[in-house]
Structures are given as structure tokens and as C-alpha cells.
Amino acid sequence: MPRLTSALALVAAAAPLPGVLAWGAMGHETIAYIASNFVAASTKTYFQTLLADTSADYLANVAAWADSYRYTTAGSFSAPYHYIDANDNPPTTCGVDYSRDCGAEGCVVSAIQNYTTILLDARYSAANHQIAAKMIIHFAGDIGQPLHCEALEVGGNDIDVLYGSDDTNLHAIWDSDIPESISGGSSLSSAKSWATTLTTAINSGEYKSSAAGWVSGLSVATAASRQATAMTWAVEANAYVCSTVLKGGISAVENKDLSGTYTTTADPVVKLQIAKQGYRLAKYLDAIVAAM
């Protein structure tokens, strides 16, 4: 990510962007609301101050910002940071290799690593810290979506599918259609409601016994540990490409309506990944603040 510092400086000087109209916003907002429910009080205070937002929506309000920014002239450099192209062979074999799969322009793993470094470095301005925080909040969501950790057919973007009467692609239904079928909508209120349900599942429901394991080994202490933490998340997400997303291969989904049985099978994975990344984001932000 050689352009990181100069790019942040450009962002700091830029005019505010228009409202986010990106795909998958509701999923990112849900992850952010879950994180808001689990961060320490000191973390909440730090990020509310940094983001200049004392509302309960302080993380959710910026969760999808990076998707708008990537389509601006100033932010076009950040497009590769939203994914890592696992050059594996699903559904036969899945796996992520950093040296093989994170390109010279960077990837979601290096982005999380490098923006964390910026956020922890007091030499950067508050404006640069704010941008770094927005990126981390967003990329913690991206890295949990299985097709953001897969190279095949451009992460599923080139696999045409149907979702009911809509002509779409495999990546898009994992980004939006399936999550929205679970939450019941695409609005901020849908995200908040779904986050409440998943928070309960973490606190006292089906994920209670698993949550501690989700953050085992999480560390921001060194560049290497930041990379290792993000790689753990990417490898877990990528494994679902073989076990769920493309279990039957491309031919099993291409030009098929995936709004029925396929979605029913995918639902538990989507719920788990949203819950997991929300909880992980909370603990990652806590670790950042604790390290300051």
C-alpha cells in the first residue's frame, strides 16, 4: 500500500462525500451495531470523539463509507483493499496464502494491518486517524464475506444467477440479497434490529459458547500480529466458499434461482459471519484503544 499516506492526506483535504449508496450497506451497518454493543466504554468514548458522532449510530453511520470512497477519483486506489484474491480451487480446495494472494497494490489483509498502524501512530493528524478508523470498521466486515476472500470468477461477480425475478450475480446475493432476506430489509433500522438479535445470540444464545474462540489470538501489538489476525479471519471466510458458497461447483449455481433452497442453506453461514465479525470488530477496536 505505497500510496497510503498521500491518499489519506488527500482525503483529509477533500470535501465531504455524498451519502453512502453502496451495495451491502445493511450488512456492514449490522456488524457495526454489534460492535457498538460490545466495545468497552473507553473505546466508545474514543471513537465517538474521533468520528465526531455521539449518537448510538457512531460506528454504523460510517460502516459503508469506504464503499463510496472507492468510487471517487481520490479513493480509486483503495479498490483492491476490499478483498483478497485467494487463488485456490473451489470446491475441491480452499485456502488463502498471503504472499500468493495479496497483490502488489494491497488487499483487505494488508489494509487492516496498515490502517491500524496509522491509527496507532500519534504523528498522523486527527483527520487521517478518522479515515483509518472508517476503513478498519468497513474492512472488518468485508473480510468476513466469503467471496471477498476468493479470486474465482472475480469473487463470484462473473457468475450470473437469479434471485427470484432479478438477474444478478453470486457475489451480489451474498453481499445483499441473502442478508436482507434474513434482516427483512435494507434500512438502518433493519440493521439495528438484526444486530440486536445477533447480540442476544452472542450473549446468551447459540453463539455464547463460541464467541471467546472468535477472538482467540487477536492482537494489534505488532505489524505481524495485525496481519496474522486479519489472515485468520480471511482463511475462515474463504473456507465457506468450498463448504457452502460453491459446494456443488459453478454449474450448480450459474443461471439458477438461488432464492430458495440455496438461501436456506446459506442463511446460517451469513448469520454466523455477521455476528462473528461484529464481535471481532468490537474486540479489535478495544485492542487499538488499549494500545494507545
Side-chain angles (χ1 to χ4, degrees):
M1 296 167 65
R3 295 179 56 194
L4 193 54
T5 303
S6 60
L8 281 169
L10 285 171
V11 173
L17 290 171
V20 171
L21 296 172
W23 51 261
M26 192 279 301
H28 282 286
E29 290 157 359
T30 303
I31 288 168
Y33 277 126
I34 294 169
S36 299
N37 292 336
F38 287 104
V39 293
S42 58
T43 303
K44 176 181 178 180
T45 298
Y46 173 80
F47 283 100
Q48 283 187 326
T49 301
L50 177 63
L51 297 170
D53 185 351
T54 58
S55 76
D57 310 323
Y58 67 103
L59 296 181
N61 281 339
V62 300
W65 176 87
D67 272 336
S68 283
Y69 177 55
R70 69 183 290 188
Y71 294 111
T72 67
T73 301
S76 60
F77 75 94
S78 68
Y81 302 170
H82 293 253
Y83 55 84
I84 183 166
D85 276 336
N87 287 284
D88 48 9
N89 187 33
T92 304
T93 57
C94 279
V96 184
D97 182 287
Y98 183 83
S99 60
R100 178 193 68 189
D101 300 329
C102 189
E105 295 181 339
C107 65
V108 68
V109 173
S110 65
I112 290 171
Q113 173 188 342
N114 291 338
Y115 281 115
T116 301
T117 298
I118 287 171
L119 195 52
L120 286 170
D121 191 335
R123 294 174 295 179
Y124 285 92
S125 68
N128 285 346
H129 284 162
Q130 186 180 89
I131 299 305
K134 292 177 181 180
M135 294 295 200
I136 292 166
I137 291 162
H138 183 84
F139 296 145
D142 276 350
I143 203 169
Q145 207 272 55
L147 288 169
H148 278 256
C149 301
E150 179 54 54
L152 184 68
E153 297 291 347
V154 195
N157 278 288
D158 287 350
I159 300 176
D160 294 329
V161 303
L162 298 171
Y163 203 81
S165 59
D166 294 335
D167 291 316
T168 182
N169 65 75
L170 188 64
H171 189 108
I173 72 164
W174 276 83
D175 267 340
S176 300
D177 294 287
I178 298 175
E180 289 170 15
S181 75
I182 300 169
S183 70
S186 59
S187 66
L188 197 66
S189 61
S190 295
K192 185 177 290 189
S193 177
W194 191 20
T196 298
T197 299
L198 292 175
T199 296
T200 299
I202 295 168
N203 279 327
S204 57
E206 63 179 308
Y207 303 138
K208 182 179 180 180
S209 62
S210 305
W214 295 345
V215 294
S216 176
L218 184 154
S219 174
V220 301
T222 65
S225 67
R226 294 162 205 156
Q227 183 184 113
T229 294
M231 276 296 293
T232 295
W233 302 349
V235 169
E236 286 186 12
N238 165 267
Y240 288 112
V241 177
C242 282
S243 68
T244 306
V245 182
L246 285 169
K247 184 177 181 179
I250 294 175
S251 62
V253 297
E254 192 166 32
N255 298 316
K256 305 289 197 311
D257 180 4
L258 303 185
S259 64
T261 302
Y262 182 91
T263 291
T264 301
T265 302
D267 275 3
V269 174
V270 172
K271 291 175 185 175
L272 174 62
Q273 288 302 100
I274 294 285
K276 189 187 291 182
Q277 292 311 119
Y279 189 74
R280 283 171 164 169
L281 176 59
K283 301 308 176 183
Y284 195 82
L285 297 180
D286 281 350
I288 289 172
V289 172
M292 289 177 171

